[in-house]
Amino acid sequence: MGTGRLEAFSDGVIAIIITIMVLELKAPHGSGFNALLPIIPVFLIYVLSFIYVGIYWNNHHHMLYAAEKISGAALWANLHLLFWLSLIPFVTAWVHETHLVPAPVALYGLVLLMAAVAYFILARILVRDNGPNSALAKALGRDTKGRLSIVLYVAGIALSLWHAWMAVAVYVLVAIMWITPDRRIEK
Amino acid sequence: MGTGRLEAFSDGVIAIIITIMVLELKAPHGSGFNALLPIIPVFLIYVLSFIYVGIYWNNHHHMLYAAEKISGAALWANLHLLFWLSLIPFVTAWVHETHLVPAPVALYGLVLLMAAVAYFILARILVRDNGPNSALAKALGRDTKGRLSIVLYVAGIALSLWHAWMAVAVYVLVAIMWITPDRRIEK
Amino acid sequence: MGTGRLEAFSDGVIAIIITIMVLELKAPHGSGFNALLPIIPVFLIYVLSFIYVGIYWNNHHHMLYAAEKISGAALWANLHLLFWLSLIPFVTAWVHETHLVPAPVALYGLVLLMAAVAYFILARILVRDNGPNSALAKALGRDTKGRLSIVLYVAGIALSLWHAWMAVAVYVLVAIMWITPDRRIEK
Amino acid sequence: MGTGRLEAFSDGVIAIIITIMVLELKAPHGSGFNALLPIIPVFLIYVLSFIYVGIYWNNHHHMLYAAEKISGAALWANLHLLFWLSLIPFVTAWVHETHLVPAPVALYGLVLLMAAVAYFILARILVRDNGPNSALAKALGRDTKGRLSIVLYVAGIALSLWHAWMAVAVYVLVAIMWITPDRRIEK
């Protein structure tokens, strides 16, 4: 089976996830510029989540571009990834309603961690489907960045219980690390 | 007529349905981990509905892949299927707001039943459009799993009036039965 | 320019419109079957609007399939059609909140009328772009059904001021008239 | 890399943005025609935002049509554009809730300005990717209209602090200027 419709469906779901978060940005209470001040932290969390969903779309785009064959297992691994991504608006909302306390920041990290694990599983299944000598397998290589991200998310979750803002700093760090698209696949 | 745009439109609608449900997951009231406890049942219903919509997308993907021709009747049969799928977020919301009582669980089953019937009708029309010797007709065969699901949904609806959790167990059973994609079509 | 991306964007917008309406279907207040009774009129209006948006998708699909060239004017005529379709969830919500009184039913008819006019304009521009001897021009012919619909919507709006349910009957009639896809284009 | 999936994802996000705004159009309080009066300003702002998002889709469609190659940097420049577009429903909501006072109208202009800047950056990157002799580079030319828009948005933001309605007049003017699709690219 080709990758066309898998890409189209994933594009649809990711497009909705990235846009749904803006529904959380309610019009400020007040009509002056100072009414925007309490919105700023919400806005920053929105930016971070937007960038994370953007990173996933970007890497998903690159990975599927390199894949030629997809199995039924890959379809489910892809849905599994979309499931965790679909929880990002939910955890984003909890973080911004509670102002950087441990539990929501830890859950935010847990959802990022599970999305990273789901992406890792999808990558392994696609490599299995396309063979160890495929362009995809060579492009992904040892996936050091993917493994490092998982370690950093776990560290972030642990840190969140101590100082929530340190966890957020780790999540921002991982985002910066990924913001350059996966040049391995761009050949 | 080709299947391209039918797939694109269905992908769009199913992507929205699967993502809309997360809007029901409101940020918990409270900022500690224990604030997550009352969310757990909602979350489990969300997971079940996500899996159901995922199953439909998967099977729809396989079935349309095998189809070569679609008639005007197939377009309406497809819209009829999307109609019942679009009610899944509504019944999911009713189930999680009422905590496993008969009526919402029965209605949840009824919507699943009608979606299964709509899928069955769409499959018959596509077989008619593509001929009894088409790849699609051979792949679908006698559609034992489809017929069995319909029986199980009816049983689930009946059970829901007695013990709602038994109906949910039946719905979970049907989901597990379908989670393996339709290998008949994957050739 | 080809029609590919115009179709994809229209599919996206129509898919969202058709699915957004279900957000109006709030979980009933109560947990018994009788809690569903007050939902029934809302549900019927939802079904009617779903069918209308489905009709537009179906006919749009057929018309664009027959078109080969699209001009910049066609892009705007298409956006104009999508604009009126995007108001269907809004007027649907007003109708179901007010229980069949004149003003909302008249506005519902007005939005249907404007969508029909916008579709008519789009059809004319596409015929101009593709020439009077194109497959599209022949398929559309004198567009008797399109003209008749416009007359019926005007009649429905007038009737709504007298007896709202008579207007709804007219809208249902037009929907039935269109539910058979445009066989002229299906060759 | 080809432009197919970039277009599909952008179409999805823009389709959602353009449709999400209608969620702000709540059914009027009341059941007579006069209940529509307080909705009219909201409606006009909705029309303006719809036209703006439509303009971006139109120009994006034309620009990507002319592009042949896209780099990883273009993917991020495109996400950056989608980010600012995704804020249009938010600023639209603030403007209509506050009835033409300076701060919301200025912020509305700022979001339009940032979207224009993001579009300009995307255009530059695409020209770099496709070379100075590409069809795209020739079609865009000196991009006088793009530069003029940026100047007008800045003027609009400044005017908004003085008389909010004058800023809105400037935004309407820019929209009229762009409503004709980019004939440079249409060959």
Side-chain angles (χ1 to χ4, degrees):
Chain A
M1 292 198 135
T3 61
R5 202 172 161 191
L6 180 67
E7 291 178 333
F9 181 68
S10 306
D11 280 352
V13 172
I14 298 174
I16 298 160
I17 292 169
I18 214 169
T19 329
I20 254 179
M21 286 183 298
V22 87
L23 290 175
E24 289 294 324
L25 287 177
K26 306 288 181 213
H29 300 296
S31 56
F33 285 107
N34 53 357
L36 288 173
L37 289 178
I39 302 262
I40 289 172
V42 187
F43 184 72
L44 293 178
I45 287 290
Y46 170 63
V47 172
L48 182 62
S49 294
F50 189 98
I51 289 173
Y52 259 111
V53 180
I55 287 167
Y56 272 101
W57 180 75
N58 243 335
N59 289 337
H60 192 268
H61 176 97
H62 280 80
M63 187 160 70
L64 266 293
Y65 183 78
E68 271 158 34
K69 279 178 277 184
I70 47 167
S71 61
L75 294 187
W76 278 107
N78 191 60
L79 273 169
H80 179 232
L81 170 61
L82 295 178
F83 175 77
W84 290 107
L85 293 181
S86 80
L87 293 178
I88 290 182
F90 164 70
V91 289
T92 302
W94 200 26
V95 167
H96 83 64
E97 283 180 16
T98 51
H99 313 289
L100 286 190
V101 297
V105 173
L107 194 73
Y108 189 94
L110 185 66
V111 167
L112 292 180
L113 172 66
M114 293 310 295
V117 169
Y119 190 83
F120 186 83
I121 294 172
L122 176 59
R124 288 307 113 196
I125 290 175
L126 286 173
V127 165
R128 200 197 59 196
D129 292 351
N130 289 274
N133 298 314
S134 62
L136 179 73
K138 282 173 191 152
L140 282 172
R142 299 200 47 238
D143 197 10
T144 319
K145 228 153 114 180
R147 289 169 200 264
L148 180 57
S149 305
I150 289 175
V151 172
L152 285 172
Y153 288 136
V154 172
I157 295 167
L159 282 171
S160 71
L161 306 179
W162 189 39
H163 280 312
W165 64 266
M166 289 179 70
V168 173
V170 173
Y171 307 154
V172 170
L173 192 79
V174 179
I176 291 168
M177 189 174 94
W178 277 106
I179 224 158
T180 34
D182 218 327
R183 291 195 187 281
R184 295 171 296 178
I185 290 172
E186 232 172 286
K187 266 161 291 142
Chain B
M1 292 199 135
T3 60
R5 202 172 160 192
L6 181 67
E7 290 177 333
F9 181 69
S10 306
D11 280 353
V13 173
I14 298 174
I16 298 160
I17 292 169
I18 214 168
T19 328
I20 253 178
M21 287 184 297
V22 88
L23 291 175
E24 289 294 324
L25 288 177
K26 306 286 181 216
H29 300 295
S31 56
F33 286 108
N34 54 355
L36 288 173
L37 289 178
I39 302 262
I40 289 172
V42 186
F43 184 72
L44 292 179
I45 287 290
Y46 170 64
V47 171
L48 182 62
S49 294
F50 188 98
I51 289 173
Y52 259 111
V53 180
I55 287 168
Y56 272 101
W57 179 75
N58 243 335
N59 289 337
H60 192 268
H61 175 97
H62 280 80
M63 187 160 69
L64 267 291
Y65 183 79
E68 271 158 34
K69 280 178 275 184
I70 47 165
S71 60
L75 294 187
W76 278 106
N78 190 61
L79 273 169
H80 179 232
L81 170 61
L82 294 178
F83 175 77
W84 291 107
L85 294 181
S86 80
L87 292 178
I88 290 182
F90 164 70
V91 290
T92 302
W94 200 26
V95 167
H96 83 65
E97 283 180 16
T98 51
H99 313 289
L100 285 191
V101 297
V105 173
L107 195 73
Y108 189 94
L110 185 67
V111 167
L112 291 180
L113 173 65
M114 293 310 294
V117 168
Y119 190 83
F120 186 83
I121 294 172
L122 175 60
R124 287 307 113 195
I125 290 175
L126 286 173
V127 164
R128 201 198 59 195
D129 292 351
N130 289 273
N133 297 315
S134 62
L136 179 73
K138 281 173 191 152
L140 282 173
R142 298 200 47 237
D143 198 11
T144 320
K145 229 154 111 180
R147 290 169 200 263
L148 180 57
S149 305
I150 289 175
V151 172
L152 284 172
Y153 289 136
V154 173
I157 295 168
L159 281 171
S160 71
L161 306 179
W162 189 40
H163 281 311
W165 63 266
M166 290 179 69
V168 174
V170 172
Y171 307 154
V172 170
L173 192 78
V174 179
I176 291 169
M177 189 174 94
W178 277 106
I179 223 157
T180 35
D182 218 326
R183 292 194 188 282
R184 296 171 296 178
I185 290 172
E186 233 173 286
K187 267 160 293 142
Chain C
M1 293 199 134
T3 61
R5 203 172 159 192
L6 180 68
E7 291 178 333
F9 180 69
S10 306
D11 280 353
V13 173
I14 299 174
I16 297 159
I17 292 169
I18 214 168
T19 329
I20 253 178
M21 287 185 296
V22 87
L23 290 175
E24 289 294 325
L25 288 176
K26 307 285 181 216
H29 300 295
S31 56
F33 285 107
N34 53 356
L36 288 173
L37 289 179
I39 301 263
I40 289 173
V42 187
F43 183 72
L44 292 179
I45 287 290
Y46 171 64
V47 171
L48 182 61
S49 295
F50 189 98
I51 289 173
Y52 259 111
V53 180
I55 287 168
Y56 272 101
W57 180 76
N58 242 335
N59 289 336
H60 191 268
H61 175 98
H62 279 80
M63 187 160 69
L64 268 291
Y65 183 77
E68 270 158 35
K69 280 177 276 185
I70 47 167
S71 60
L75 294 187
W76 278 107
N78 191 60
L79 273 169
H80 178 232
L81 170 61
L82 295 178
F83 174 77
W84 291 107
L85 294 181
S86 81
L87 292 178
I88 290 182
F90 164 70
V91 289
T92 302
W94 199 26
V95 167
H96 84 65
E97 282 180 17
T98 51
H99 312 290
L100 286 191
V101 296
V105 172
L107 194 73
Y108 190 94
L110 185 68
V111 167
L112 292 180
L113 172 65
M114 294 309 296
V117 169
Y119 190 82
F120 186 82
I121 294 171
L122 176 60
R124 287 307 113 194
I125 290 175
L126 286 173
V127 164
R128 200 197 59 195
D129 292 350
N130 289 272
N133 297 313
S134 62
L136 179 73
K138 282 174 191 152
L140 282 173
R142 299 201 45 237
D143 198 10
T144 320
K145 230 155 110 179
R147 290 168 199 263
L148 180 57
S149 304
I150 289 175
V151 172
L152 285 172
Y153 288 136
V154 173
I157 295 168
L159 281 171
S160 72
L161 306 181
W162 189 39
H163 281 313
W165 63 266
M166 288 179 70
V168 174
V170 172
Y171 307 154
V172 170
L173 192 79
V174 179
I176 291 169
M177 190 175 93
W178 278 106
I179 224 158
T180 35
D182 219 327
R183 291 195 186 282
R184 296 171 295 179
I185 290 172
E186 232 172 286
K187 269 160 288 147
Chain D
M1 290 198 136
T3 61
R5 203 173 159 191
L6 180 67
E7 291 178 333
F9 181 69
S10 306
D11 280 352
V13 173
I14 298 174
I16 298 159
I17 292 169
I18 213 167
T19 330
I20 254 178
M21 288 184 297
V22 88
L23 291 175
E24 288 294 324
L25 288 176
K26 306 286 180 215
H29 300 295
S31 56
F33 285 108
N34 52 357
L36 288 173
L37 289 178
I39 301 263
I40 289 172
V42 187
F43 183 72
L44 292 179
I45 287 290
Y46 170 64
V47 171
L48 182 62
S49 295
F50 189 98
I51 289 172
Y52 259 111
V53 180
I55 288 167
Y56 272 101
W57 180 75
N58 243 336
N59 289 337
H60 191 267
H61 175 95
H62 280 80
M63 187 160 70
L64 267 291
Y65 183 77
E68 270 158 34
K69 279 178 277 184
I70 46 166
S71 60
L75 294 186
W76 278 106
N78 191 60
L79 273 169
H80 179 232
L81 170 61
L82 295 178
F83 175 77
W84 291 108
L85 293 181
S86 81
L87 292 178
I88 290 182
F90 163 70
V91 288
T92 302
W94 200 25
V95 167
H96 83 65
E97 282 180 16
T98 51
H99 312 290
L100 286 192
V101 296
V105 172
L107 194 73
Y108 190 94
L110 185 67
V111 167
L112 292 180
L113 172 66
M114 294 309 295
V117 169
Y119 190 83
F120 186 82
I121 294 172
L122 176 60
R124 288 307 112 195
I125 290 176
L126 287 173
V127 165
R128 200 197 59 195
D129 292 351
N130 289 272
N133 298 313
S134 63
L136 179 71
K138 282 173 191 151
L140 282 173
R142 300 199 47 236
D143 198 10
T144 320
K145 229 154 112 179
R147 289 169 200 263
L148 180 57
S149 305
I150 289 175
V151 172
L152 285 171
Y153 288 137
V154 172
I157 295 168
L159 282 171
S160 72
L161 306 180
W162 189 38
H163 280 313
W165 64 266
M166 288 179 70
V168 174
V170 172
Y171 306 154
V172 170
L173 192 79
V174 179
I176 291 169
M177 190 175 93
W178 278 106
I179 225 159
T180 34
D182 219 327
R183 291 194 188 281
R184 297 171 296 178
I185 290 172
E186 233 173 287
K187 268 160 292 143

